[in-house]
Amino acid sequence: MPLYLTDDQAMLRDTAREFMAAEGSIAKQYRKYRDMNCKDGFGHALWKQFGEMGFTGILIDEADGGLGLGHVEAGIVLEEIGRNLTPSPFLVTAVAVVEALRGTRHGERWYPGILAGETVAALAVDEGSKHRPEAIAMTAERSGNGFRLSGRKQFVVQGASADVFVVAADTTDGLTLFSVEKGTKGLEIEGVRLADASIGARLEFDRVEVDADAVIGEVGRGRDVLRRVLNAGRAGAASELVGVGSQAMAMTVDYLKQRKQFGRLIGEFQALQHRAAHLYSELEIARAATLKAQQLLSEDAEEADMMVSVAKAKSGQASALAVQEGVQMHGGIGMTDEYDIGLYMKRDRVLNELFGDASYHADKVARLNGY
Amino acid sequence: MADLETFRREARAWLEANCPAEMREPVRDESDYCWGGRNPLFKSDAQKAWMERMAARGWTVPDWPREYGGGGLSPAETKVLRQEMAAAGARNPLMSFGISMLGPALLKYGTEAQKKRFLPEIARGEIRWCQGYSEPNAGSDLASVATKCEDRGDHWLVNGQKVWTSYADKADWIFCLVRTDPEAPKHKGISFILFDMRTPGVSTKPILLISGNSPFCETFFDDVKVPKDQVVGEVNKGWDVAKYLLGHEREMISGMGLGGTGESLGAALAERLKDDPILRADVARFDVDAMAFRAMSERFIDELKAGRAHPAQPSIMKYAGTELNKARHELIMAAGGSGALEWESERSKGGKAPREWLRTKANSIEGGTSEIQLGIVAKHILELPGT
């Protein structure tokens, strides 16, 4: 498969780009829901439109009513989400959770709502301030016919508005994933507004009782499912980062062509030209790595794990460079809330942490390479 | 697609049967490559056999047309062949500026007679080329070439000096930028000319580098007579040919950022990283960069073959690839510690590590400095204003 978008994928990109710029724009979505201090941090009307556009079904099999497409296509939508900072449950619900529920009865239960853009689902994995899915402390003890879950989760994106949670817990014989509905007794949800105005919930499980059929897949065998889920989420987050970085760069390059100082356009200064060109080169590398990771994921290739980590680390670094250079080159107005460039810096920071930051993934690359 | 799978199977079987075991060992240094030429120096019978077998199939230049000595393969087949060669660990059978630089320019700008005369010889490794671009005092300001080329009716007369001519002392022919119209604006009076290095009046002198090696030469032209039919493209429009060729040169140099086999640097240094967590972290970040860069190279090659590449993309490749290659060798030196400082010892294979480290420092200078590449990206992709 050549490493560029096919004609069909390019068409999807054009559709997504047009839709997100029109309906998902910063003024219409990000600022609107932030400024009204919305408890969900995003608009449900837009989520429904995502359903009407078919976006929510990209990774759902055709037999289940979806489009049966792959990670490249999910990434295409996420890049446009990134460009517009569109607040949406797409990444966690339509990419990560859809992957978790694939081929299970839970899929039958939740896919129709996700397809319609009505259901929001969240992923409860992180427990501390850093992403460490290898060391999950939350326990699930057998209790009667089911399990009793105890422990804490944090950074549960869209957790405050989720109808259902995919929860990773230790069942002594290994890791097990559970599907836990909101409103289950003993589950406390605290929505926390994050730096980018999105909501990342903290969850407290106080001996939460669930039935045996809450188990996703097999008891003690959740590690493999979680790996798939996190790969999907990481590759998706990488695309969103590429979108964030690309738009921050585009805004900055435009600014370099308009702003005059010392009687010249500042874009004429070689110091700024070279920094902008370096930034462009880093983003192109990140974009290629991300597409490669998504192609490998869709082919279920062995090297996918490694390339997903490369993509998440590289896109995180490139996007961070883009937003930081963006604010710096904008000068004082880059620091104002009125200008959008600073919003990109906040979103980049959150996306960098999500599903493991660049250091986490560089370490993973080292381990996968045997050092 | 079924055809492509058939091709893959056939290519794999052929490589299995024809690539000698010695040619599947990683190369140790530049002297391990086969450069071909009028008086080729083969390091072994295996090296000779490998080059000849590949040339006979047209696979030294798999995507060139068959009539010019190529393999006539489609872009997809060429990619499959490269993948199978990589999988078999098969070495590149022939290193050649003729293949990587002059050939593509001749295919695009050469006359039919020039193509027929030079391309098959290049494909078979029978002619070794050097590139006469840089001149003293010109540096990255390439279009300021001063070497004089006068029309003397039945021949051209060339006088001047080139510098940084890689392997000029070993080359059979030179492709060269010369000034044919001193009155015209600097980009408009240049022509692209080819001539035999045995022509009377051509002389070369190696330049010793900090690495202790000397791939580069100074090259002198003193009343060199060149036949009229050896200008490529139109007279005074050589800059177009030069730019096209530079794209291919940058692509070739950027390939060095991949560090040969594509093995993870950390995996190669694993033993030395165990007790050095900070170096390990640096190497891990490098491996992320290198693998991501490899993806961009793949994308670029795919786009190039499909005719979708941006003409300034080789500048990104050249910039990023050479910076990466320098970083690789800094890390190798750091991991090697004082052992990697040995310049002349059996243990150090004659100072391989420090010499290579020093050599890479030229990567971001030769073929257009990193600053030149960034300037091209700023101007032609980002469309930032000129000064």
Side-chain angles (χ1 to χ4, degrees), chain B residues 70-364:
Chain B
L73 301 188
S74 70
E77 288 168 334
T78 304
K79 187 171 177 182
V80 165
L81 176 62
R82 301 226 186 278
Q83 285 168 345
E84 290 304 318
M85 283 177 67
R91 282 186 197 176
N92 181 353
L94 179 61
M95 283 291 275
S96 158
F97 297 155
I99 291 175
S100 56
M101 297 197 267
L102 179 63
L106 277 177
L107 280 166
K108 188 169 166 73
Y109 292 97
T111 61
E112 192 53 33
Q114 287 169 341
K115 290 182 196 176
K116 287 227 167 81
R117 176 176 175 192
F118 296 112
L119 292 174
E121 280 194 342
I122 291 172
R124 292 193 301 266
E126 292 166 355
I127 182 166
R128 184 169 177 176
W129 293 85
C130 63
Q131 178 191 51
Y133 273 25
S134 298
E135 294 188 3
N137 303 317
S140 290
D141 184 11
L142 200 57
S144 67
V145 290
T147 292
K148 218 163 46 172
C149 179
E150 297 163 272
D151 189 343
R152 291 295 176 92
D154 63 337
H155 67 270
W156 298 103
L157 190 69
V158 180
N159 277 288
Q161 186 191 341
K162 295 286 173 182
V163 72
W164 309 122
T165 331
S166 306
Y167 305 108
D169 52 342
K170 300 189 173 69
D172 304 316
W173 276 63
I174 187 166
F175 50 93
C176 202
L177 287 181
V178 290
R179 186 153 302 278
T180 33
D181 184 356
E183 307 302 324
K186 72 177 185 177
H187 291 90
K188 310 260 176 179
I190 295 172
S191 298
F192 188 96
I193 198 168
L194 318 173
F195 53 87
D196 194 319
M197 291 293 278
R198 287 183 303 199
T199 316
V202 179
S203 59
T204 65
K205 194 170 112 193
I207 304 168
L208 189 65
L209 296 186
I210 48 176
S211 62
N213 295 338
S214 177
F216 294 115
C217 295
E218 290 180 285
T219 307
F220 304 91
F221 309 133
D222 183 15
D223 279 340
V224 178
K225 284 185 182 177
V226 180
K228 291 297 289 244
D229 61 357
Q230 286 171 202
V231 166
V232 178
E234 285 179 53
V235 172
N236 292 331
K237 289 201 175 161
W239 187 245
D240 294 340
V241 186
K243 273 199 306 189
Y244 183 75
L245 190 149
L246 276 174
H248 287 273
E249 179 183 18
R250 284 165 190 167
E251 189 189 332
M252 181 189 70
I253 294 175
S254 70
M256 294 189 299
L258 300 175
T261 62
E263 191 196 353
S264 132
L265 178 62
L269 302 175
E271 208 42 44
R272 289 166 182 181
L273 300 177
K274 272 199 247 160
D275 305 319
D276 201 333
I278 294 178
L279 184 61
R280 174 185 178 274
D282 288 344
V283 172
R285 285 182 196 284
F286 171 85
D287 270 337
V288 166
D289 285 341
M291 277 184 265
F293 176 78
R294 180 173 290 276
M296 187 173 73
S297 310
E298 186 185 336
R299 190 189 100 189
F300 176 48
I301 291 163
D302 287 350
E303 286 180 337
L304 197 68
K305 307 235 143 142
R308 294 167 168 237
H310 189 287
Q313 181 132 22
S315 289
I316 306 172
M317 297 285 301
K318 204 271 177 184
Y319 167 66
T322 56
E323 296 298 328
L324 205 53
N325 203 35
K326 288 194 295 181
R328 168 189 299 275
H329 285 273
E330 277 301 329
L331 290 167
I332 290 170
M333 289 300 285
S338 58
L341 297 173
E342 292 188 13
W343 190 254
E344 280 169 355
S345 69
E346 186 68 25
R347 220 177 291 108
S348 69
K349 293 180 190 144
K352 181 173 185 288
R355 288 169 197 268
E356 284 185 355
W357 163 70
L358 288 161
R359 174 66 185 88
T360 63
K361 299 305 167 195
N363 292 166
S364 50

Side-chain angles (χ1 to χ4, degrees), chain A residues 98-252:
Chain A
V98 159
E99 193 62 52
L101 306 186
R102 188 180 299 286
T104 69
R105 287 188 319 279
H106 302 281
E108 291 167 29
R109 163 86 173 82
W110 298 106
Y111 281 174
I114 292 173
L115 282 166
E118 282 165 358
T119 298
V120 172
L123 198 58
V125 176
D126 288 4
E127 298 180 347
S129 288
K130 296 304 276 189
H131 179 69
R132 295 287 179 265
E134 300 78 13
I136 282 175
M138 177 155 165
T139 57
E141 291 174 278
R142 282 193 188 271
S143 157
N145 195 29
F147 292 85
R148 188 186 291 138
L149 308 180
S150 298
R152 291 190 182 86
K153 297 286 181 182
Q154 72 180 54
F155 201 21
V156 180
V157 174
Q158 267 96 35
S161 31
D163 303 291
V164 60
F165 298 91
V166 170
V167 182
D170 178 17
T171 39
T172 62
D173 52 353
L175 191 80
T176 304
L177 296 186
F178 294 91
S179 157
V180 182
E181 292 191 39
K182 99 176 151 185
T184 305
K185 189 160 169 276
L187 169 60
E188 281 206 35
I189 303 165
E190 181 200 358
V192 186
R193 187 169 298 282
L194 305 180
D196 68 339
S198 71
I199 306 291
R202 286 179 182 267
L203 269 47
E204 177 117 28
F205 291 78
D206 182 14
R207 284 167 294 169
V208 172
E209 305 269 356
V210 295
D211 291 343
D213 57 13
V215 171
I216 299 170
E218 286 176 58
V219 177
R221 308 288 293 275
R223 191 57 69 192
D224 271 355
V225 187
L226 186 62
R227 188 174 58 90
R228 251 180 33 226
V229 171
L230 290 176
N231 273 346
R234 287 161 179 167
S239 276
E240 194 171 339
L241 279 161
V242 168
V244 167
S246 297
Q247 186 58 26
M249 180 184 73
M251 291 164 66
T252 305

Side-chain angles (χ1 to χ4, degrees), chain A residues 270 273-274 277, chain B residues 370-381:
Chain A
Q270 197 180 51
Q273 288 192 346
H274 285 189
Chain B
S370 284
E371 288 71 21
I372 288 286
Q373 310 305 334
L374 290 172
I376 289 171
V377 173
K379 187 170 166 202
H380 297 288
I381 297 182

